[in-house]
Amino acid sequence: DTGVSQDPRHKITKRGQNVTFRCDPISEHNRLYWYRQTLGQGPEFLTYFQNEAQLEKSRLLSDRFSAERPKGSFSTLEIQRTEQGDSAMYLCASSSQTGAAGYTFGSGTRLTVV
Amino acid sequence: AQSVTQLDSQVPVFEEAPVELRCNYSSSVSVYLFWYVQYPNQGLQLLLKYLSGSTLVKGINGFEAEFNKSQTSFHLRKPSVHISDTAEYFCAVSVMDSNYQLIWGAGTKLIIKP
């Protein structure tokens, strides 16, 4: 297992366009998390899945954001009608159900909205 | 509600000097404790964790941390830092009440001076 993979590493898009990011977690992990991180800040929780079920979504997450994990394996995060304020690093992590071993993070997708 | 406080946003230290990065948490129930490191433009990497047992835990890259239940602290230490330790360090806790989700500190930027 090569860890958590995120694709793409970088994405530049024009304001108003839709973007989709992919995350492939560690195969034995049934939990998958999405975070957003802006410069100089800690990770901000967006949403998480246990298997294919989306169990929690941040109240800060607008309706333009949607995430899926259709078969309980990889996940996608879509942002519709992107805004400049969406520019950030989007981090994916996976863990076991108790998280006792900690989360394993991917390298992130850096989104720049111009 | 649980919270994590990292008291210093930046810690400058000379190369080969010792360093301590402070982390305090609040929780009325038992917690798991973690330190993560983030190098520039990368995801987060687990440095070390405390689940139970010995209060002194050793991690990667020569770092260690001590869990102090009475002071609700989990400070990170290294006896001699190197230029390569320049990074941001995040303390995090997970609790059963939060369904084991990680609660993050704001991060401490470690700046190594030559």
Side-chain angles (χ1 to χ4, degrees):
Chain A
D1 199 336
T2 56
V4 178
S5 299
Q6 289 189 248
D7 184 67
R9 287 295 309 273
H10 304 275
K11 177 73 177 177
I12 300 174
T13 190
K14 290 184 179 178
R15 191 171 48 186
Q17 298 294 305
N18 299 344
V19 294
T20 301
F21 310 141
R22 177 181 170 122
C23 172
D24 287 87
I26 290 175
S27 55
E28 306 88 69
H29 287 172
N30 59 2
R31 286 197 172 185
L32 185 148
Y33 308 82
W34 284 101
Y35 285 87
R36 177 170 61 191
Q37 188 179 27
T38 52
L39 206 60
Q41 302 295 316
E44 175 191 13
F45 171 76
L46 295 179
T47 187
Y48 90 96
F49 294 83
Q50 184 160 303
N51 301 312
E52 64 275 11
Q54 188 173 17
L55 294 189
E56 189 171 339
K57 193 172 170 180
S58 168
R59 286 189 295 273
L60 302 174
L61 208 60
S62 81
D63 292 341
R64 297 183 297 104
F65 287 71
S66 63
E68 293 183 343
R69 194 183 183 197
K71 297 180 182 176
S73 56
F74 74 92
S75 174
T76 58
L77 177 69
E78 182 183 17
I79 309 174
Q80 296 182 325
R81 305 180 302 281
T82 52
E83 302 172 358
Q84 284 190 320
D86 297 331
S87 295
M89 175 80 90
Y90 290 84
L91 295 166
C92 175
S94 67
S95 79
S96 63
Q97 186 154 336
T98 65
Y103 293 7
T104 302
F105 281 84
S107 297
T109 294
R110 180 164 295 283
L111 172 66
T112 303
V113 181
V114 297
Chain B
Q2 294 80 24
S3 66
V4 178
T5 302
Q6 290 184 246
L7 296 166
D8 305 298
S9 59
Q10 287 190 52
V11 173
V13 62
F14 284 105
E15 195 171 13
E16 298 183 8
V19 70
E20 178 180 83
L21 306 183
R22 296 180 291 170
C23 173
N24 288 85
Y25 68 93
S26 68
S27 175
S28 56
V29 298
S30 296
V31 298
Y32 296 150
L33 295 152
F34 304 87
W35 276 99
Y36 284 84
V37 60
Q38 187 174 33
Y39 299 103
N41 295 312
Q42 294 190 27
L44 291 99
Q45 181 182 5
L46 182 65
L47 263 182
L48 49 77
K49 62 186 177 187
Y50 172 79
L51 305 182
S52 65
S54 172
T55 57
L56 182 65
V57 291
K58 294 188 184 296
I60 61 171
N61 302 341
F63 283 92
E64 63 181 32
E66 185 153 22
F67 169 56
N68 187 317
K69 189 173 181 179
S70 62
Q71 296 188 3
T72 60
S73 69
F74 191 54
H75 300 332
L76 181 70
R77 301 186 185 101
K78 186 169 182 178
S80 174
V81 295
H82 302 285
I83 285 285
S84 59
D85 293 322
T86 299
E88 188 139 23
Y89 293 79
F90 292 93
C91 180
V93 303
S94 74
V95 297
M96 197 185 308
D97 282 7
S98 298
N99 207 7
Y100 296 108
Q101 280 201 63
L102 282 180
I103 299 161
W104 295 87
T108 298
K109 195 166 291 186
L110 180 59
I111 300 166
I112 310 297
K113 300 185 286 186

